[in-house]
Amino acid sequence: MVMDVMSAAARLEQAGRHVIHMEVGQPEAPAPAAALAAAREALGGSGAALGYTESLGIPSLRRRIARHYAETHGEEIDPATVLVTTGSSGGFVLAFLALLEPGDRVALSVPAYPPYRHILTALGCEPVLIRTGPETRYALTPEALLAAHRDAPLKAVLIASPANPTGTMMTAEALARLIATAEDAGIAVVSDEIYHGLDYAFPATTALAASRSTVVINSFSKYFCMTGWRVGWMVAPEQLVRPMERLHQNLAISVPTLSQVAAEAAFDGRAEMEAVKAGYARNRDILVKGLPACGIDRFLPVDGAFYLYADVSDFTPDSHAFARALLEEAGVAVTPGLDFDPVAGRHFVRFSYARSEADMVEAVARIGRWLKGMG
């Protein structure tokens, strides 16, 4: 649904309208300068170095990713367990294919990123949607997971912290309890950590701190602002590395070499990325303070990522119609909650604050005028 909003916004822009984009989770900032410089240098040669790489990824990049866990989380990771993927999306496909068989049930909290359930369904698996609430920061609890497991056995559970669309995070203690409960019940754990680095309320914790049996998926798309480069990574249990490697050899051969070269250099751009993150924090404050003044005052804790998920049922019973009217009449593009929750999502919309500070100020002003006009 978010891609439909993007298309509608593009049509308005082609007609000369100015649209503020709050619908897609795409950083406005460019890739780090070090990444761009490395890519230019690679392109400046004969091109021979841009052939296929090992399916698991360029060894030096895998070592650098492993080092990142030591530097950021204090966790020593064997580079042999790191796999470079085509964004986090490629990681999900490889993880699900390696862990699951058709008919397997996989627990997901709701609301959640829609491709989780769509990829699982395409592979013949059954997404088990477990509703969450504000009392748990919209995170899955051990009790809810076990209740779903009693209904019919679960093969895996997918966890995301910080989460899309909610921006909520699990504390280290809550994450550890959930992982321990899942593993005790024989349920495999996949942890989506694509928004790590973008945390405001408290530091994000990797699932690897709780267990080395988890499959961790991450990407250079969000914190490192490299969406279009399509490069991510996984850290997998040792016994899954070879099956995932064989799958990747057949599905993609390898991740684009230029993207891998740039990704390795991106780790040298942390100062730039921290400046971008500080901008997100300012944008977050603008929305947290500005939206309630407009009348939108029911939203989830904004712990991390760059999303705010708000209840708009005071204004409409149909978030899709609300989003369409907001775009057409006020020039602000947001995503209907139905993308993330097929049932309760009709009451919610997601605001992305990954754009400029000026855009956020103008968006709040436009939304306020538009809602006042509705009244």
Side-chain angles (χ1 to χ4, degrees):
M1 206 169 282
V2 66
M3 305 312 289
D4 294 337
V5 176
M6 286 182 64
S7 297
R11 287 193 294 272
L12 287 180
E13 288 174 319
Q14 289 165 6
R17 293 278 302 278
H18 175 248
V19 175
I20 297 176
H21 291 274
M22 304 180 76
E23 79 278 28
V24 65
Q26 175 161 268
E28 186 177 52
L36 297 175
R40 291 189 188 101
E41 184 177 352
L43 288 171
S46 66
L50 296 181
Y52 295 134
T53 73
E54 297 178 27
S55 285
L56 291 173
I58 295 173
S60 60
L61 173 57
R62 296 168 67 202
R63 290 193 296 270
R64 185 63 188 87
I65 291 169
R67 192 176 116 204
H68 162 74
Y69 283 92
E71 294 171 345
T72 306
H73 300 286
E75 298 293 329
E76 296 294 332
I77 302 298
D78 183 353
T81 63
V82 176
L83 300 82
V84 182
T85 62
T86 48
S88 65
S89 301
F92 290 122
V93 173
L94 291 177
F96 294 159
L97 284 171
L99 286 169
L100 306 170
E101 297 295 339
D104 283 345
R105 288 164 39 91
V106 180
L108 309 171
S109 62
V110 174
Y113 179 56
Y116 296 155
R117 65 180 190 270
H118 297 161
I119 295 171
L120 287 167
T121 300
L123 295 178
C125 300
E126 180 185 350
V128 179
L129 307 185
I130 302 176
R131 191 156 302 284
T132 58
E135 66 282 357
T136 65
R137 304 184 76 84
Y138 287 82
L140 193 58
T141 65
E143 295 76 18
L145 180 68
L146 291 177
H149 192 49
R150 286 192 294 269
D151 288 342
L154 295 166
K155 185 64 178 290
V157 58
L158 196 151
I159 304 168
S161 175
N164 177 13
T166 62
T168 55
M169 290 168 53
M170 299 182 72
T171 65
E173 296 76 16
L175 182 64
R177 285 197 301 272
L178 181 60
I179 291 172
T181 299
E183 293 185 345
D184 287 347
I187 302 168
V189 176
V190 178
S191 180
D192 179 359
E193 300 182 0
I194 189 173
Y195 293 100
H196 271 216
L198 300 178
D199 44 27
Y200 317 106
F202 51 88
T205 302
T206 178
L208 297 169
S211 170
R212 295 304 172 87
S213 297
T214 60
V215 175
V216 165
I217 296 176
N218 208 323
S219 172
F220 290 90
S221 291
K222 308 302 182 180
Y223 177 78
F224 291 100
C225 300
M226 296 177 68
T227 52
W229 297 79
R230 306 314 302 134
V231 56
W233 76 82
M234 286 195 295
V235 181
E238 185 178 353
Q239 70 274 16
L240 288 179
V241 172
R242 181 58 178 155
M244 289 179 176
E245 180 184 23
R246 293 200 305 267
L247 286 164
H248 201 215
Q249 287 168 342
N250 285 275
L251 294 173
I253 301 180
S254 62
V255 172
T257 306
L258 188 66
S259 296
Q260 294 190 62
V261 169
E264 183 174 348
F267 284 107
D268 295 329
R270 295 298 288 269
E272 288 175 66
M273 298 301 96
E274 286 299 306
V276 172
K277 177 182 176 179
Y280 296 152
R282 291 191 295 272
N283 291 349
R284 170 181 179 257
D285 289 343
I286 290 167
L287 295 189
V288 167
K289 295 172 183 174
L291 289 178
C294 298
I296 299 176
D297 56 4
R298 289 190 287 165
F299 45 80
L300 312 184
V302 189
D303 298 329
F306 36 56
Y307 303 117
L308 184 150
Y309 195 62
D311 187 334
V312 293
S313 58
D314 288 344
F315 304 98
T316 180
D318 181 352
S319 64
H320 189 265
F322 180 92
R324 186 171 57 246
L326 179 60
L327 174 60
E328 293 174 353
E329 297 170 18
V332 178
V334 301
T335 305
L338 286 166
D339 228 6
F340 313 102
D341 183 341
V343 180
R346 67 184 183 276
H347 298 308
F348 289 83
V349 296
R350 187 193 72 178
F351 297 91
S352 169
Y353 51 89
R355 306 286 289 194
S356 70
E357 187 173 342
D359 274 354
M360 296 304 102
V361 172
E362 176 63 17
V364 168
R366 290 188 187 187
I367 292 166
R369 289 194 297 269
W370 182 69
L371 291 176
K372 186 176 180 180
M374 285 180 63

